[in-house]
Amino acid sequence: MRSKNLSCKFHWSLIRKDLTRFWPVWGSYLAIWLMILPIPMLTSYSGTESYSDLVVSIHRLLTRTGGETALVMAAIYGGLSAFAVWSYLYQSRSASLFHALPVTRETLFCSHFTAGLGFLLVPNALIAVITYLCQMSLGYFDPTQILCWLAVICLESLLFYALGTLAAMCTGNLPTMPVLYGLINFAVVVYESLLTEFSTQLYWGVSSQPLKLIFLSPFIQLAQTSCYVNESTPVALDGVYTTWETMRFYSPDFLVMLCLYALAAVALVFCSLLLYRRRTTESAGDVIAFDFLKPIAKYCFAFGCALVLGWIFEEVIFPASTGVLTRIFCCCLGGAIGYIAAVMLLKKSFRVFQFKKMAGLLVLWVVICGLFMAFESDLFGVESKVPRLGELTEATLYSDYDLQLTQPQDMDKVLELHRAILDNKDALEDYERYNSVPYDGGYCYVRINYYYEDGTTLRRSYNLPCGEQELADPASPAYKLSAIMSDPQRLVDNHLPPKDAVIESIQLNLYGDQIRLAAGEPFALNYSNHCYVDSAHTSLLLNALEEDIRAGRLCAWNGRNAAKFYDHLFTIEFNYDRPATHNLSQTVTVLENAEIYHPTTQAVDYETKMASEWKSVEVYSFDDPKSTMNLLVQLGYLTSIPSVLDGEVPNG
């Protein structure tokens, strides 16, 4: 029975009927949560030695099960509950029976919706009470964390049950409902990911782009958001060891996000009610229950098939192709398959090959061609985008080594380099994509990462020719890159430990079968042969290395080191600590997240492990680093330089 005005009431007989008819849904949900939460709490924590360990363990269990576990359970059983209570809409006989009852559509909706939501909320409340009783039996009486768990699981249940209800209202076909429910949760991320994949293949220099519409896929958004934070409190033990009571709490950002999703869920419930009031009984059996939704569903399905099947066709049929025409052909073929399938499902007939019914396919092909041509021509300004200096907090430049720049004058040089690359786009793009321009000097790889004040990141990567002609031209990108990367102080900072570092060890690793160590018994060397520099010689070696680096005889950037790979003769590796740069509580938090920290272990050991850093210097020629080579020979680590160069093998 339809009503002119909203008249939301509850029909307790309908609610009771749903509870008794679909008891396997809420029964299995309750049984699974019993095995996940209260039973493991009793069996695992009953023998905990200390009260602090018990509290830490309970907090860890509640936040872990209230995060990933609760999300999966809410997503599965939210859709299953909606599928159960609205299943009568998918058969003409049952739909006619319910709609012939002397109750309004609003009463039917409120009664069935309440029953389905009760499948989730009532077991959640029971689990919370049982868990609290188990917690009290162990000697811990604070209910705060359990109440937080209950709030999280109830909000997630409301969200996914509302999504399931919306999917149920939009279709009249039994198999279509779970498919539509899955599409509501994942379709936006899949569409955007595939569009990003195609666009980055067409955009020059763009290796990745952030997904901006992920919030429209609640499951993915919640799964990627950390649901908890750790707070550590130091406790002295016998004045020697330091233990940490690391309490795990729900993240405020996660709770705020859940509340926003809950508000969106309430709006979706209201939309579902409006759809239910307009829904006709005759729509039972239709793939889409409303005429105004059919064109939207048809084109969304066809466009999704264009992206998914287009990507598959390109990988299978044209695996080596990189052209835009190939991608357009594959996506148009996939779109045609999706469009024809959608029309057949909506019309419930295979006789759909008429011009009137296929006219929309031409529109779809025009949209696909226009979209890919917009990518190719950079209509949206993605390739040509260069940040403004005032927007940035940091710029990272990589070419042979990483360079982090935070000063405005340094970041401005990176922006100038980026603009020079874009100004030479035509020649560089031909060189990178088709290798059609011969460069006798080879190439170098450069990656630029910009970090904005709002927390977003812009990444670009290019291959630049770096022959002698390019390195001598002040207007070329290779020259500007060399001016940044060849700064002596930056080379010293990148390859050598900082001045305040505590050197643990310096290791010489020699490569090749003609090179001999003078320290120790000589033997033919391979990739595993090494020796350690005496700690008394540390400062001497560091000074010699710095002298060679500043003089341009060692670690000099010439744009072609990246092509050498492992052709160096030997490396000098530094292992060192910088304890002043690490906070012990932050260290424990990192280890706690990695679940390799135990509060009864000496925290000082973890600080040492986390503070350890490593750098190396690679030597490609014995002729250049004169100060370093002379010192190694003088201190007795290597044989004389001429004997090594001539391939002479000393007899020891």
Side-chain angles (χ1 to χ4, degrees):
M1 178 184 297
R2 296 191 181 186
S3 59
K4 294 182 179 180
N5 301 318
L6 288 175
S7 177
C8 297
K9 298 180 180 179
F10 296 100
H11 198 288
W12 297 108
S13 298
L14 292 175
I15 296 176
R16 185 169 56 252
K17 184 64 176 178
D18 285 340
L19 292 175
T20 56
R21 182 184 178 188
F22 301 112
W23 68 265
V25 177
W26 58 263
S28 60
Y29 181 75
L30 178 63
I32 293 174
W33 268 118
L34 284 172
M35 292 185 291
I36 291 176
L37 197 54
I39 294 177
M41 182 179 291
L42 280 179
T43 57
S44 301
Y45 303 148
S46 58
T48 306
E49 297 181 358
S50 65
Y51 179 78
S52 61
D53 289 347
L54 173 66
V55 174
V56 169
S57 300
I58 289 176
H59 275 243
R60 180 188 296 274
L61 176 64
L62 289 172
T63 51
R64 185 177 68 248
T65 56
E68 297 85 355
T69 306
L71 181 62
V72 173
M73 289 289 290
I76 294 176
Y77 277 89
L80 189 60
S81 299
F83 182 84
V85 297
W86 303 115
S87 58
Y88 71 90
L89 295 174
Y90 307 135
Q91 295 181 1
S92 299
R93 180 178 299 179
S94 59
S96 300
L97 174 63
F98 275 93
H99 293 162
L101 295 175
V103 293
T104 62
R105 287 288 184 95
E106 294 80 4
T107 300
L108 285 174
F109 182 88
C110 292
S111 301
H112 289 301
F113 182 85
T114 303
L117 190 60
F119 294 172
L120 305 173
L121 300 188
V122 174
N124 291 340
L126 289 176
I127 292 297
V129 172
I130 296 172
T131 303
Y132 183 61
L133 294 176
C134 296
Q135 180 180 293
M136 288 194 299
S137 68
L138 296 175
Y140 182 51
F141 300 95
D142 186 5
T144 305
Q145 199 70 354
I146 292 180
L147 293 177
C148 289
W149 174 89
L150 180 61
V152 168
I153 186 63
C154 287
L155 291 176
E156 290 179 344
S157 300
L158 173 62
L159 170 63
F160 289 103
Y161 181 65
L163 292 175
T165 299
L166 180 64
M169 292 300 110
C170 292
T171 181
N173 185 268
L174 190 66
T176 305
M177 188 270 175
V179 175
L180 189 59
Y181 176 70
L183 291 176
I184 291 176
N185 279 284
F186 301 104
V188 174
V189 169
V190 173
Y191 285 4
E192 189 178 11
S193 299
L194 289 173
L195 278 175
T196 301
E197 175 68 20
F198 281 119
S199 64
T200 52
Q201 292 176 1
L202 296 174
Y203 286 141
W204 175 65
V206 180
S207 56
S208 65
Q209 293 189 76
L211 300 180
K212 298 180 180 180
L213 300 178
I214 191 173
F215 68 94
L216 294 177
S217 296
F219 185 87
I220 303 297
Q221 179 67 68
L222 292 173
Q224 292 186 353
T225 304
S226 178
C227 68
Y228 57 82
V229 292
N230 293 328
E231 295 183 6
S232 302
T233 304
V235 179
L237 182 63
D238 299 332
V240 178
Y241 294 94
T242 300
T243 61
W244 291 80
E245 291 184 357
T246 305
M247 308 297 291
R248 181 173 289 186
F249 300 95
Y250 286 98
S251 169
D253 295 337
F254 181 77
L255 296 177
V256 170
M257 181 184 300
L258 266 182
C259 291
L260 294 176
Y261 274 129
L263 293 176
V266 173
L268 292 178
V269 172
F270 186 73
C271 292
S272 299
L273 173 58
L274 296 179
L275 290 175
Y276 187 62
R277 294 181 77 236
R278 295 188 55 183
R279 184 187 178 100
T280 61
T281 304
E282 293 77 15
S283 63
D286 293 342
V287 175
I288 300 298
F290 300 93
D291 291 337
F292 72 92
L293 289 178
K294 289 181 180 180
I296 299 175
K298 177 175 63 177
Y299 284 105
C300 287
F301 180 78
F303 188 71
C305 288
L307 296 178
V308 176
L309 296 180
W311 177 74
I312 295 175
F313 290 154
E314 183 181 4
E315 292 293 326
V316 175
I317 304 175
F318 306 103
S321 176
T322 58
V324 63
L325 296 180
T326 301
R327 294 189 175 94
I328 291 177
F329 171 77
C330 293
C331 288
C332 286
L333 179 59
I337 295 174
Y339 185 87
I340 294 172
V343 174
M344 288 181 177
L345 289 173
L346 293 176
K347 298 296 182 180
K348 299 181 183 179
S349 173
F350 293 107
R351 302 176 63 181
V352 296
F353 295 98
Q354 293 90 20
F355 177 80
K356 183 178 180 181
K357 295 179 180 179
M358 292 292 105
L361 180 58
L362 300 178
V363 177
L364 178 65
W365 283 348
V366 170
V367 172
I368 292 174
C369 294
L371 182 63
F372 278 87
M373 294 308 296
F375 290 155
E376 177 69 13
S377 61
D378 193 25
L379 181 63
F380 305 111
V382 176
E383 282 185 10
S384 58
K385 182 178 181 179
V386 178
R388 293 192 298 269
L389 183 60
E391 301 174 337
L392 302 177
T393 59
E394 182 183 338
T396 301
L397 188 64
Y398 174 82
S399 180
D400 291 348
Y401 67 90
D402 290 327
L403 190 59
Q404 294 181 339
L405 306 172
T406 57
Q407 298 299 321
Q409 61 272 20
D410 295 331
M411 291 190 291
D412 188 56
K413 294 180 180 179
V414 176
L415 295 174
E416 184 180 353
L417 167 65
H418 193 179
R419 285 189 287 267
I421 293 175
L422 295 177
D423 291 340
N424 293 270
K425 173 188 172 182
D426 294 337
L428 297 177
E429 188 175 14
D430 289 340
Y431 166 73
E432 183 176 340
R433 286 188 175 181
Y434 312 110
N435 198 22
S436 60
V437 181
Y439 287 101
D440 56 354
Y443 71 94
C444 63
Y445 172 79
V446 57
R447 184 176 70 243
I448 306 173
N449 294 344
Y450 298 109
Y451 299 92
Y452 289 85
E453 292 180 347
D454 59 1
T456 58
T457 306
L458 181 69
R459 296 180 174 89
R460 296 292 183 265
S461 57
Y462 307 96
N463 289 319
L464 306 179
C466 57
E468 295 182 358
Q469 179 180 355
E470 288 75 29
L471 292 174
D473 183 6
S476 69
Y479 181 91
K480 297 181 183 298
L481 178 62
S482 176
I484 299 174
M485 304 297 292
S486 299
D487 181 82
Q489 186 59 49
R490 290 172 181 158
L491 292 171
V492 170
D493 295 338
N494 179 76
H495 291 284
L496 299 183
K499 298 297 183 181
D500 59 345
V502 179
I503 306 294
E504 287 186 347
S505 64
I506 302 179
Q507 180 175 303
L508 301 179
N509 294 318
L510 281 76
Y511 304 92
D513 56 2
Q514 295 284 325
I515 308 171
R516 295 301 185 98
L517 285 169
E521 182 179 355
F523 48 84
L525 297 176
N526 53 43
Y527 284 100
S528 63
N529 300 130
H530 63 270
C531 73
Y532 287 92
V533 175
D534 191 284
S535 58
H537 303 151
T538 299
S539 59
L540 296 175
L541 182 58
L542 289 175
N543 292 335
L545 288 169
E546 182 173 353
E547 181 181 347
D548 283 329
I549 292 175
R550 291 188 179 278
R553 298 190 295 264
L554 188 63
C555 300
W557 187 92
N558 58 10
R560 286 169 288 179
N561 288 343
K564 293 183 178 179
F565 297 105
Y566 298 103
D567 292 340
H568 47 271
L569 299 174
F570 74 93
T571 61
I572 305 174
E573 297 181 0
F574 304 93
N575 289 283
Y576 61 94
D577 289 340
R578 292 200 297 174
T581 63
H582 290 79
N583 181 274
L584 187 54
S585 61
Q586 296 176 354
T587 300
V588 173
T589 300
V590 173
L591 294 167
E592 172 73 10
N593 292 334
E595 297 191 355
I596 59 175
Y597 167 75
H598 192 275
T600 59
T601 310
Q602 282 182 296
V604 176
D605 293 340
Y606 289 111
E607 181 183 21
T608 302
K609 292 178 181 179
M610 292 297 295
S612 180
E613 298 184 17
W614 172 87
K615 285 185 179 180
S616 68
V617 173
E618 297 176 349
V619 179
Y620 293 91
S621 170
F622 290 121
D623 290 329
D624 296 335
K626 297 180 180 179
S627 299
T628 302
M629 297 306 303
N630 290 334
L631 179 65
L632 291 176
V633 173
Q634 178 182 349
L635 297 178
Y637 293 100
L638 291 178
T639 58
S640 60
I641 299 177
S643 66
V644 176
L645 292 176
D646 296 338
E648 298 177 3
V649 180
N651 296 322

